[in-house]
């Protein structure tokens, strides 16, 4: 017991000594005493530190002439660890960049040492060097944001209604393209557009080699947000998807997942020299398609090579591209497409659902493709396989889940049942998106100024895409298309298709009247149910006929009684 | 001029202007609903005509509404009272039966009471329910992108379309009856003449 007690007292004493020793020893030499000799450091500032906190080997004054070098490590351990892996570690100490006595003054910038670096091997050199800091490529970059500043004449402004018709304060690719067209047409030479790429990086992590292009230029690039600020009379701020501004580049890893990669085509099969790939390379396999394309305006006028429209390194197959991606291909050259389609009512809305080839490649096969999305903060994000797993169970085969009778196609009833199941689970968060997409491409895009600006081409039951109806769903490995049999949108409950804007398929026909009146009592109610919104016309026309008959009888009676 | 001065000039101008607007809206509306009926060649023109005549109808409705608010005829002429409800069966019987055996119309208009009970019922439901309904749904249609969140609240574009079209049918049916009943005056053209000169016989 006595021994234990004496150890306990000893411990407390040692602890007390350890705490007090530095305070006592340091506090013995006030900073003012140091400054008595070292006048040039009168205004020194390194946090709230005093001289002896770094020069800790000074215990009394006057101190030894030769002192130990202060170690930054004592306080800046984390930074020091990062700096261990930096290329600068070999040649530069902390002091070479930081003025340790006046720490807020940055001593050196990259350019102080790296004067006149040519960056000749950097593609789009000016764009990269103007928009980014050295750290973006030479540091270990984790994430970043984009700032886009558009300055227009201070006396004018672009209406927010024009810029952001859906008022979600988020510019989609179409809305951004529309803005570019407006700037080009109305503010040519009177506006400035600057893109700045802000990356979160660490100046102590400068690497031997710059980061790979793929850090930014791939599908999962580091840029998470883009903020667009437009000046003018009423300045506006919008968000946007950074992918709009950063083109994707091929990576060998990603290439394995492309359609070419999966079919075993190696890099050297196409890249036989340093020369840019020409159409002749593509013809090796795609000669049949090229047979059509070579006689079209695009090819004859030398406007577009195969690779101008088709990125052979793109991870998604063409059929997996949504409308915005497909539009993006044509829009790279045809930037004024919104202006050119002003004749089309609800222009921007139409381009949310239609790709260019719907009209400009008449021989292509158009299909109605339904896809699923989840709404998050007003933005619709494509539904993922993991979302469906959460809803319907792990490892679910979505196709088998929808196609109850396993006949390979989905009937309206099967699809309606699936949609209702989804709405039960996700509520209002689920969005069913329908797009008119080209499922079989015919490469003749020469059709221009199509005289048939007739809405009924699409807004009717006879629209060609009802013959080719699909649903695109995510499966474990990849998204698949499943054909939907004999269906029109009006066959589904309207609450499901709240996002659906295509009207015009519910036109009443003489045959509908014949069907209702010829049917037996039992079948009649079912046929009337199937009429859907056509019921309005059905009742309206019957009432009109009754009223006309009443009027005719009234007129006859008036004539008879000479009234 | 003989008879009672029932229809002041602004209302007569409004009536015939509105008639023209409704006529254009019905013609273009039929073509929009059933594009196979090709009344006007260029479909784009049809869309624009329907849109801008829709706006004209909004202006016309607002003129009618504020004219009667200012002059004080809205309640006097259009509000259905108990007396009117009691007067409905005789009025219906007159149109269906008694008109043929030469009996007098049970209602005779005066400057304080322009419309018979059935007219009141028809005009007030058209002007207070169906016209505002078709105007509001039409305005929502005029810029789908701008009003998208509101359209979604209603239940989507297809529901909006259903409301607009159903109201349009009611308008057309009403108009057919309205035009026919305009011939049931003293002489077949009496009411039409009254709506031009302002004097009803």
């Amino acid at each position: 017991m006595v021994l234990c007690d004496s150890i306990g007292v000893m411990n407390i004493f040692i602890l007390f000594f350890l705490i007090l020793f530095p305070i006592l020893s340091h506090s013995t030499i006030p900073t003012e005493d140091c400054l008595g000799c070292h006048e040039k450091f009168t205004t020194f500032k390194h946090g709230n530190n005093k001289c002896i906190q770094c020069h800790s080997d000074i215990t009394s004054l006057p101190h030894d002439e030769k002192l130990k070098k202060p170690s930054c490590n004592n306080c800046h351990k984390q930074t020091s660890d990062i700096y261990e892996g930096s290329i600068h570690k070999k040649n530069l100490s902390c002091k070479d960049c930081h003025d340790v006595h006046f720490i807020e003054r940055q001593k050196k910038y990259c350019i102080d040492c790296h004067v006149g670096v040519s960056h000749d091997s950097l593609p789009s050199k000016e764009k990269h060097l103007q928009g980014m800091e050295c750290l973006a490529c030479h540091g270990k970059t984790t994430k970043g944001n984009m700032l886009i500043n558009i300055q227009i004449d201070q006396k004018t402004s672009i209406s927010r209604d024009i810029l952001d018709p859906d008022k979600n304060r988020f510019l989609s690719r179409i809305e951004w393209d529309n803005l570019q067209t407006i700037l080009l047409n109305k503010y040519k030479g009177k506006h400035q557009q600057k893109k700045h790429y802000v990356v979160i990086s660490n100046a102590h992590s400068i690497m031997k080699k710059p980061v790979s292009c793929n850090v930014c230029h791939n599908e999962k690039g580091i840029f998470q947000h883009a903020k667009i600020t437009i000046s003018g009379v009423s300045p506006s701020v919008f968000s946007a998807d950074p992918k709009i501004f950063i083109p994707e580049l091929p990576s060998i890893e990603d290439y394995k997942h492309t359609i070419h990669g999966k079919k075993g085509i190696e890099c050297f099969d196409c890249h036989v020299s340093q020369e840019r790939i020409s159409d002749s390379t593509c013809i090796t396999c795609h000669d049949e398609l090229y047979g059509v394309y070579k006689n079209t305006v695009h090819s004859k006028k030398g406007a577009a090579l195969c690779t101008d429209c088709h990125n052979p390194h793109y991870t998604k197959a063409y059929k997996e591209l949504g409308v915005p991606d497909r539009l993006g291909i044509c829009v790279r050259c045809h930037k004024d497409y919104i202006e050119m389609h002003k004749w089309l009512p609800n222009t921007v809305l139409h381009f949310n659902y239609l790709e260019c080839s719907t009209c400009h490649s008449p021989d292509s096969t158009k299909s109605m493709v339904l896809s699923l999305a989840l709404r998050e903060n007003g933005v619709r994000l494509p539904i993922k396989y993991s979302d469906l797993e959460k809803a319907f169970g792990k490892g679910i085969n979505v196709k088998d889940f929808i196609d109850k009778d396993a006949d390979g196609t989905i009937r309206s009833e099967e699809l309606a049942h699936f949609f209702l199941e989804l709405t039960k689970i996700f509520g209002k968060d689920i969005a069913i998106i329908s797009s008119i997409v080209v499922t079989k491409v015919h490469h003749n895009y020469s059709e221009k100024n199509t005289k048939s600006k007739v809405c009924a081409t699409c807004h009717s039951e006879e629209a060609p895409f009802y013959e080719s109806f699909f649903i695109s769903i995510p499966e474990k490995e990849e998204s698949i298309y499943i054909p939907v049999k004999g269906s029109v949108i009006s066959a589904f409950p309207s609450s499901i298709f709240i996002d659906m804007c295509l009207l015009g398929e519910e036109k009443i026909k003489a045959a509908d009247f014949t069907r209702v009146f010829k049917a037996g009592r039992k079948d009649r109610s079912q046929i009337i149910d199937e009429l859907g919104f056509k019921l309005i016309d059905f009742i309206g026309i019957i009432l009109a006929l009754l009223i006309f008959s009443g009027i005719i009888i009234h007129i006859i009676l008036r004539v008879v009684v000479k009234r | 001029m003989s008879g009672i001065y029932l229809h002041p000039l602004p209302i007569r101008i409004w009536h015939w202007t509105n008639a023209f607007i409704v006529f254009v809206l019905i013609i273009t509306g039929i073509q929009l609903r059933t594009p196979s009926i090709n009344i006007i060649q260029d479909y784009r023109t049809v869309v624009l005509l329907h849109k801008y005549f829709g706006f004209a109808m909004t202006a016309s409705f607002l003129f009618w509404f504020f004219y009667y608010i200012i002059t004080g005829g809205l309640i006097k002429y259009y509000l259905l009272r108990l007396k009117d409800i009691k007067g409905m069966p005789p009025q219906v019987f007159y149109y269906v039966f008694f008109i043929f055996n030469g009996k007098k119309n049970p209602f005779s208009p005066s400057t304080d009471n322009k419309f018979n009970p059935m007219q009141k019922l028809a005009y007030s439901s058209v002007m207070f329910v169906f016209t505002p309904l078709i105007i509001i749904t039409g305005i929502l249609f005029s810029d789908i992108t701008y009003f998208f969140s509101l359209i979604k609240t209603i239940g989507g574009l297809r529901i909006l379309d259903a409301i607009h079209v159903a109201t349009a049918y009611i308008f057309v049916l009403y108009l057919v009856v309205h035009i026919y009943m305009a011939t049931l005056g003293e002489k077949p053209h009496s009411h039409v003449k009254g709506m031009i000169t302002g004097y009803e016989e």
Side-chain angles (χ1 to χ4, degrees):
Chain A
M1 272 305 275
V2 175
L3 187 67
C4 286
D5 277 350
S6 63
I7 289 171
V9 171
M10 195 71 162
N11 281 347
I12 291 166
F13 181 75
I14 291 168
L15 194 68
F16 187 72
F17 178 78
L18 282 175
I19 293 169
L20 278 186
F21 175 75
I23 299 169
L24 290 171
S25 60
H26 283 158
S27 62
T28 49
I29 304 167
T31 300
E32 291 75 31
D33 290 0
C34 306
L35 296 177
C37 297
H38 303 282
E39 276 175 12
K40 66 173 181 175
F41 296 120
T42 310
T43 55
F44 99 101
K45 185 139 183 71
H46 191 127
N48 291 323
N49 290 329
K50 293 171 181 171
C51 303
I52 51 166
Q53 276 171 288
C54 295
H55 300 284
S56 55
D57 49 338
I58 302 173
T59 50
S60 61
L61 291 179
H63 59 75
D64 293 344
E65 197 173 325
K66 277 203 168 183
L67 292 174
K68 280 185 196 167
K69 274 187 182 175
S71 168
C72 305
N73 232 345
N74 292 345
C75 297
H76 302 282
K77 176 86 173 74
Q78 206 179 347
T79 308
S80 177
D81 288 347
I82 294 171
Y83 194 56
E84 280 298 317
S86 166
I87 184 76
H88 285 151
K89 173 74 180 169
K90 277 185 191 172
N91 310 319
L92 299 174
S93 70
C94 306
K95 265 175 71 181
D96 290 323
C97 293
H98 300 284
D99 189 338
V100 289
H101 293 105
F102 302 95
I103 203 70
E104 280 167 19
R105 290 183 208 160
Q106 190 176 1
K107 199 174 175 185
K108 272 184 183 167
Y109 292 94
C110 308
I111 202 158
D112 293 334
C113 299
H114 303 280
V115 187
V117 182
S118 64
H119 282 104
D120 280 341
S121 59
L122 178 68
S124 300
K125 177 177 151 182
E126 280 183 14
K127 216 188 257 184
H128 280 103
L129 295 183
Q130 279 170 9
M132 295 192 295
E133 290 169 16
C134 309
L135 278 178
C137 297
H138 295 280
K140 270 186 188 158
T141 311
T142 50
K143 51 186 170 181
N145 296 317
M146 286 184 63
L147 303 174
I148 298 145
N149 270 311
I150 300 172
Q151 282 191 319
I152 55 170
D153 190 351
Q154 288 299 321
K155 289 172 194 161
T156 55
S157 69
I158 310 172
S159 159
R160 279 186 200 179
D161 298 340
I162 295 172
L163 291 176
D164 184 28
D166 53 10
K167 293 200 289 187
N168 62 354
R169 307 202 66 81
F170 185 90
L171 294 195
S172 63
R173 186 186 288 273
I174 296 169
E175 287 164 340
W176 169 258
D177 291 338
N178 192 28
L179 167 63
Q180 292 302 303
T181 313
I182 294 170
L183 292 174
L184 198 72
N185 292 340
K186 290 191 182 166
Y187 298 94
K188 200 174 184 181
K190 292 177 192 165
H191 79 277
Q192 273 196 321
Q193 185 167 292
K194 279 184 184 168
K195 290 183 193 146
H196 194 66
Y197 303 79
V198 184
V199 292
I200 297 170
S201 191
N202 193 319
H204 300 100
S205 68
I206 303 296
M207 299 177 295
K208 196 173 178 182
K209 283 185 176 177
V211 290
S212 150
C213 306
N214 279 312
V215 169
C216 300
H217 293 274
N218 79 358
E219 204 187 347
K220 300 167 200 128
I222 57 157
F223 291 98
Q224 294 171 334
H225 301 286
K227 186 175 149 192
I228 303 167
T229 313
I230 304 166
S231 68
V233 176
S234 51
S236 351
V237 180
F238 300 98
S239 299
D241 183 353
K243 280 181 207 161
I244 297 174
F245 312 103
I246 304 169
E248 275 184 45
L249 286 178
S251 81
I252 290 175
E253 193 46 48
D254 289 344
Y255 177 73
K256 290 172 193 162
H257 304 289
T258 67
I259 192 78
H260 281 142
K262 279 179 192 168
K263 290 195 172 176
I265 296 162
E266 300 290 346
C267 306
F268 51 78
D269 286 333
C270 301
H271 298 281
V272 285
S273 71
Q274 290 293 310
E275 294 290 309
R276 197 190 160 179
I277 297 291
S278 71
D279 286 354
S280 58
T281 312
C282 309
I283 298 168
T284 318
C285 300
H286 304 284
D287 56 335
E288 203 180 320
L289 284 181
Y290 197 75
V292 175
Y293 182 67
K294 70 181 176 192
N295 296 318
T296 67
V297 175
H298 274 110
S299 172
K300 276 182 184 169
K301 293 192 175 173
L305 300 174
C306 302
T307 47
D308 286 334
C309 303
H310 302 280
N311 180 350
H313 306 109
Y314 202 61
T315 46
K316 284 182 185 169
Y318 189 77
K319 69 173 184 179
E320 285 179 52
L321 299 184
V323 166
D325 297 321
R326 291 180 174 205
L327 259 178
I329 295 171
C330 306
V331 165
R332 284 170 59 217
C333 299
H334 302 278
K335 290 191 191 303
D336 56 348
Y337 67 108
I338 295 283
E339 197 62 33
M340 295 297 284
H341 292 87
K342 277 282 178 220
W343 63 270
L344 185 67
N346 288 303
T347 319
V348 173
L349 186 74
H350 272 100
F351 280 108
N352 281 336
Y353 298 93
L354 296 177
E355 58 175 303
C356 309
S357 10
T358 316
C359 301
H360 294 281
S361 168
D363 295 325
S364 290
T365 307
K366 286 103 193 168
S367 304
M368 164 84 79
V369 177
L370 305 177
S371 56
L372 307 168
L374 285 175
R375 291 191 185 91
E376 260 179 51
N377 304 323
V379 180
R380 292 187 310 196
L381 301 169
I383 205 163
K384 296 190 285 290
Y385 179 71
S386 56
D387 298 319
L388 294 175
E389 267 191 325
K390 267 184 216 162
F392 302 115
K394 213 160 176 53
I396 186 185
N397 183 314
V398 189
K399 183 177 179 291
D400 292 349
F401 183 77
I402 309 173
D403 187 13
K404 299 280 182 208
D405 59 6
D407 64 348
T409 53
I410 294 175
R411 289 175 293 110
S412 300
E413 303 88 79
E414 288 171 336
L415 202 55
H417 180 257
F418 175 59
F419 289 158
L420 288 173
E421 288 287 314
L422 285 170
T423 32
K424 264 186 220 165
I425 294 162
F426 295 106
K428 284 185 175 176
D429 291 338
I430 189 85
I432 294 156
I433 303 165
S434 56
S435 303
I436 313 297
V437 293
V438 167
T439 41
K440 198 172 176 193
V441 187
H442 188 266
H443 276 77
N444 187 357
Y445 292 93
S446 310
E447 199 71 34
K448 224 170 87 176
N449 296 325
T450 43
K451 297 288 178 207
S452 59
K453 290 172 181 171
V454 178
C455 308
T457 310
C458 294
H459 293 274
S460 83
E461 210 174 347
E462 280 79 36
F465 42 79
Y466 288 122
E467 295 296 316
S468 172
F469 204 117
F470 293 93
I471 177 162
S472 161
I473 47 163
E475 284 286 15
K476 202 167 191 173
E477 298 292 322
E478 58 184 351
S479 284
I480 58 162
Y481 275 36
I482 317 175
V484 179
K485 207 174 175 182
S487 197
V488 285
I489 294 292
S490 62
F492 304 108
S494 68
S495 58
I496 289 173
F497 279 97
I498 202 154
D499 293 295
M500 176 69 189
C501 292
L502 184 77
L503 294 173
E505 60 185 28
E506 54 282 280
K507 305 283 187 282
I508 195 92
K509 288 176 190 157
D512 292 316
F513 287 92
T514 328
R515 272 178 70 214
V516 173
F517 291 118
K518 279 193 175 172
R521 269 191 186 177
K522 277 185 185 173
D523 298 335
R524 190 170 291 158
S525 62
Q526 199 199 329
I527 292 172
I528 289 176
D529 277 351
E530 282 171 12
L531 284 177
F533 285 114
K534 284 196 268 189
L535 194 62
I536 301 169
D537 301 84
F538 185 82
I539 296 172
I541 291 168
I542 299 264
L543 281 177
L545 289 175
L546 286 175
I547 286 173
F548 272 117
S549 315
I551 289 174
I552 289 165
I553 294 167
H554 209 269
I555 293 171
I556 293 169
L557 287 172
R558 276 170 76 189
V559 173
V560 170
V561 299
K562 295 181 182 167
R563 167 70 178 78
Chain B
M1 292 281 174
S2 62
I4 324 158
Y5 187 64
L6 274 191
H7 311 298
L9 184 65
I11 284 299
R12 278 180 278 146
I13 294 173
W14 166 79
H15 178 270
W16 293 113
T17 314
N18 203 49
F20 175 66
I21 292 170
V22 170
F23 173 75
V24 174
L25 284 171
I26 289 176
I27 296 295
T28 50
I30 289 172
Q31 191 167 343
L32 288 178
R33 184 74 180 161
T34 48
S36 51
I37 302 174
N38 205 1
I39 306 166
I40 298 165
Q41 200 58 39
D42 181 17
Y43 205 81
R44 162 90 177 149
T45 314
V46 182
V47 175
L48 287 182
L49 273 177
H50 198 78
K51 186 173 180 174
Y52 293 113
F53 271 78
F55 290 140
M57 188 174 172
T58 313
S60 154
F61 172 76
L62 291 174
F63 171 81
W64 171 86
F65 186 75
F66 285 108
Y67 176 82
Y68 273 126
I69 288 273
I70 293 163
T71 58
L74 212 56
I75 291 170
K76 191 165 68 178
Y77 298 135
Y78 291 92
L79 187 73
L80 276 168
R81 295 184 172 83
L82 192 63
K83 190 181 75 180
D84 298 312
I85 294 163
K86 281 179 186 167
M88 278 177 193
Q91 194 63 44
V92 174
F93 282 126
Y94 167 73
Y95 285 131
V96 180
F97 303 113
F98 304 132
I99 195 168
F100 303 115
N101 59 16
K103 282 200 176 177
K104 276 252 164 199
N105 191 332
F107 176 82
S108 53
S110 66
T111 44
D112 280 343
N113 201 7
K114 278 208 287 193
F115 307 126
N116 74 41
M118 292 310 289
Q119 276 179 304
K120 263 193 185 180
L121 178 69
Y123 297 162
S124 56
S125 49
V126 164
M127 294 312 286
F128 296 130
V129 181
F130 299 119
T131 306
L133 196 61
I134 210 161
I135 284 176
I136 292 166
T137 48
I139 287 172
L140 293 183
F141 259 123
S142 69
D143 194 338
I144 297 165
T145 329
Y146 186 80
F147 294 114
F148 208 62
S149 52
L150 200 59
I151 294 171
K152 273 190 178 178
T153 319
I154 292 168
L157 202 62
R158 313 174 76 74
I159 298 290
L160 183 76
D161 182 56
I163 299 170
H164 194 77
V165 172
T167 320
Y169 269 107
I170 293 170
F171 247 89
V172 173
L173 298 179
Y174 157 78
L175 196 67
V176 171
V177 177
H178 181 68
I179 292 171
Y180 177 66
M181 295 196 78
T183 67
L184 295 182
E186 282 294 311
K187 287 171 194 159
H189 63 272
S190 296
H191 286 322
V192 180
K193 196 178 153 195
M195 206 61 219
I196 296 168
T197 60
Y199 288 88
E200 282 281 358
E201 287 171 14

